[in-house]
Amino acid sequence: MQFIRSLYIHNVFFRYIALLAACFIMSYWLPALYPIAWLLTMLLAALLLFDLYLLYAAPKAIRGLRTLPKKLSNSDENPITIQFESHYPFTTYLSIIDELPVQFQKRDFEYKTRLKNGEKREHRYTVRPVERGEYVFGHLNIYASSPLRIIKRRFVFQKDQMVPVYPSIIQMQQYDFLAMNNRLTEVGLKKIRRIGHTQEFEQIKEYVLGDDYRTVNWKATAKNNQLMVNQYQDERSQPIYSVIDTGRVMKMPFNGLKLLDYAINSALAFSNVALKRNDKTGMITFSKKIESFVPAIQKITHLNTILEKLYHINTEFTDADYGMLYAHIKRNVNQRSLLLLYTNFEHISALKRQLPFLVAIAKKHLLVVIFFENTELEELITKEAEDLQGIYHKTIAEKFSLEKRLMQKELQKYGIQTILTQPEKLTVNTINTYLEIKARGLL
């Protein structure tokens, strides 16, 4: 039974059959072709048996291995490696089909190559998940055929490999590396001019080209007979919370990814940067109820707790209760904190319903409301209208875009900082705002 399941007919075999059929048909007009056609048929049968012997003589002539990461990173290109080798004594033609998880809805994966005896090779490809959760890879199928290419033998490896898809670990590591090397400006994070010296004093060091001459320490300069400057650092151990709205407004998709997942990826990368800059980080997720609350702690290992909480977040089909959020923050967040609220408002009336609660939160804490531009509307606005219907659509799009800017102005009127951003630029703009707040000593 296993032999039957592993045996497949090669596509080239059907060409041989077509050629034989043509010979038999032509023999109707050319009788001399009839015995030749039968001779070719017998030859093909003999080659078929010989090809069976070549492919099935060695039980484990092909070896394959699929290597998966321990965790896949949501919304990123994740590398998958397939290693394979041949122990056939002839050049083997291989067709590799990897059964990808159902979430990708991809059924056309195929990689073709050929190997010599004893040759090892690997093939790399990438997958981009857009949902968190468990992804199951099916069989790794390798179809081998000899140079005759009459039949194929199927080798099966590694059935049902499960790998979880977590929030964007790749994005987090990218900003982590840049934060450690003070190179955040390389990915679009702007340099923030420091206003005054609201930061903590760190040390006195020798002056180097580029240091602010206003920080020269004249007493230390006189004592050491060379220019010395004061070095300052941002205030540390300040509590910072990522507050994520998991209501229906965060279900809206952009480029295959829900707004909630953009917020989750940003919260993870931002929390990592804040921890590396010695601040306390925590998290609140809410909809009709407080779904998770992680108190702000200053430990690098605390990031794993945040990661696990973010992994299990899902959106709800209900509107978020901001009154309950205000009550929870009032009871559980006693120290003045930076609250980064990830949400979305499509109409100014929706904002005005929640505005009293946002103003109440902002009285005790530094609140930053983060909501999203509708990039598809922006594309529609910039496109030239060609008919009456196009003018109508463009006018409506401009109305919605104007409402977004009016909402931003309305929040700023009450002293609430805002970030109106495109989904793909969310992480950069969030970290920019954090750095600016730290540089200006607003917290």
Side-chain angles (χ1 to χ4, degrees):
M1 192 66 178
Q2 188 176 358
F3 167 77
I4 297 298
R5 288 179 177 176
S6 66
L7 180 62
Y8 288 81
I9 302 298
H10 200 288
N11 290 339
V12 175
F13 177 76
F14 296 102
R15 298 177 187 174
Y16 296 152
I17 293 295
L19 181 62
L20 288 176
C23 288
F24 277 108
I25 292 172
M26 292 297 294
S27 67
Y28 180 80
W29 294 280
L30 300 172
L33 281 178
Y34 188 72
I36 298 175
W38 274 110
L39 184 63
L40 291 175
T41 302
M42 296 174 64
L43 177 61
L44 181 59
L47 290 175
L48 174 63
L49 294 174
F50 184 59
D51 206 13
L52 277 170
Y53 170 76
L54 288 177
L55 291 176
Y56 284 88
K60 296 182 180 179
I62 298 293
R63 294 180 182 176
L65 176 67
R66 179 206 295 129
T67 304
L68 298 174
K70 291 183 179 179
K71 297 173 183 176
L72 294 180
S73 180
N74 194 19
S75 77
D76 295 314
E77 296 291 344
N78 297 265
I80 310 295
T81 303
I82 297 175
Q83 297 172 322
F84 46 91
E85 60 180 302
S86 171
H87 294 282
Y88 280 120
F90 48 81
T91 298
T92 311
Y93 293 83
L94 300 181
S95 175
I96 301 172
I97 298 178
D98 198 0
E99 296 179 2
L100 300 178
V102 294
Q103 289 93 332
F104 294 117
Q105 292 297 302
K106 186 176 176 62
R107 297 293 181 268
D108 58 351
F109 181 98
E110 186 176 14
Y111 173 69
K112 294 183 178 181
T113 186
R114 57 184 179 180
L115 293 181
K116 296 179 181 178
N117 179 27
E119 185 179 358
K120 297 180 181 179
R121 201 176 297 173
E122 69 176 31
H123 171 63
R124 281 194 173 191
Y125 67 95
T126 60
V127 292
R128 182 180 180 265
V130 293
E131 293 180 6
R132 285 164 291 115
E134 295 182 350
Y135 284 54
V136 179
F137 285 76
H139 295 98
L140 172 61
N141 304 284
I142 300 181
Y143 298 86
S145 56
S146 71
L148 295 175
R149 289 187 281 182
I150 296 176
I151 63 170
K152 296 188 289 186
R153 181 181 175 184
R154 178 192 181 197
F155 295 86
V156 180
F157 306 95
Q158 294 176 292
K159 178 184 178 182
D160 295 341
Q161 275 187 292
M162 194 280 290
V163 58
V165 174
Y166 271 72
S168 183
I169 300 171
I170 292 176
Q171 188 180 111
M172 180 196 73
Q173 291 172 341
Q174 174 191 5
Y175 290 111
D176 177 29
F177 175 76
L178 295 171
M180 288 176 63
N181 293 278
N182 293 318
R183 294 164 55 198
L184 288 168
T185 53
E186 291 187 7
V187 288
L189 278 77
K190 60 186 177 184
K191 255 186 176 176
I192 306 299
R193 181 187 174 195
R194 300 181 181 276
I195 300 176
H197 290 301
T198 58
Q199 291 74 36
E200 296 176 347
F201 173 79
E202 183 179 13
Q203 64 176 347
I204 300 173
K205 68 179 189 71
E206 294 181 9
Y207 173 86
V208 295
L209 189 64
D211 283 340
D212 189 350
Y213 64 88
R214 293 173 296 180
T215 63
V216 172
N217 187 317
W218 295 109
K219 288 185 179 180
T221 297
K223 184 177 179 180
N224 291 277
N225 201 27
Q226 60 178 336
L227 276 176
M228 306 292 290
V229 294
N230 295 332
Q231 184 171 340
Y232 297 88
Q233 64 182 8
D234 293 330
E235 292 183 23
R236 300 184 176 188
S237 300
Q238 294 179 309
I240 298 165
Y241 285 88
S242 297
V243 184
I244 303 176
D245 179 354
T246 61
R248 64 177 180 82
V249 295
M250 299 295 279
K251 278 187 172 291
M252 188 179 295
F254 285 96
N255 294 328
L257 204 66
K258 290 182 290 190
L259 292 182
L260 177 67
D261 286 301
Y262 281 107
I264 287 172
N265 292 343
S266 173
L268 179 63
F270 163 75
S271 297
N272 184 53
V273 169
L275 282 170
K276 290 296 173 67
R277 296 177 76 91
N278 301 297
D279 278 326
K280 301 176 184 178
T281 59
M283 186 187 72
I284 302 172
T285 63
F286 74 103
S287 181
K288 276 296 183 184
K289 61 179 181 178
I290 299 296
E291 295 172 354
S292 62
F293 173 61
V294 181
I297 298 176
Q298 185 186 342
K299 288 183 179 178
I300 293 297
T301 54
H302 183 55
L303 192 66
N304 292 328
T305 304
I306 294 175
L307 178 61
E308 290 298 327
K309 291 290 184 181
L310 290 172
Y311 172 69
H312 292 97
I313 292 176
N314 283 310
T315 50
E316 304 268 341
F317 285 99
T318 56
D319 289 322
D321 188 342
Y322 280 79
M324 180 207 52
L325 174 66
Y326 165 67
H328 178 82
I329 291 174
K330 187 176 181 180
R331 286 194 305 266
N332 297 280
V333 184
N334 299 318
Q335 186 180 351
R336 177 175 166 81
S337 307
L338 171 60
L339 305 178
L340 296 169
L341 173 60
Y342 296 90
T343 185
N344 197 37
F345 299 107
E346 285 300 322
H347 306 282
I348 196 164
S349 57
L351 171 64
K352 287 184 175 179
R353 285 198 301 269
Q354 313 300 345
L355 192 56
F357 303 112
L358 297 176
V359 172
I361 294 172
K363 285 181 180 178
K364 186 176 179 182
H365 303 280
L366 180 56
L367 177 63
V368 179
V369 176
I370 305 168
F371 57 110
F372 299 89
E373 293 179 4
N374 191 323
T375 52
E376 293 182 5
L377 287 182
E378 296 300 324
E379 291 175 5
L380 187 59
I381 291 170
T382 55
K383 185 179 178 181
E384 289 292 333
E386 298 179 353
D387 51 23
L388 186 60
Q389 187 178 18
I391 294 171
Y392 173 76
H393 289 162
K394 187 171 181 177
T395 303
I396 296 298
E398 288 175 348
K399 177 181 177 295
F400 278 110
S401 180
L402 176 62
E403 277 206 357
K404 289 281 186 178
R405 294 193 293 273
L406 290 176
M407 285 187 272
Q408 192 174 23
K409 294 290 184 183
E410 185 72 14
L411 287 165
Q412 290 170 352
K413 186 171 70 176
Y414 291 95
I416 300 173
Q417 295 206 34
T418 61
I419 301 176
L420 178 58
T421 178
Q422 297 175 4
E424 60 271 18
K425 295 181 180 179
L426 174 62
T427 302
V428 169
N429 290 335
T430 302
I431 298 178
N432 260 336
T433 301
Y434 163 70
L435 294 177
E436 184 174 0
I437 289 170
K438 294 290 290 184
R440 294 181 177 177
L442 299 178
L443 183 56

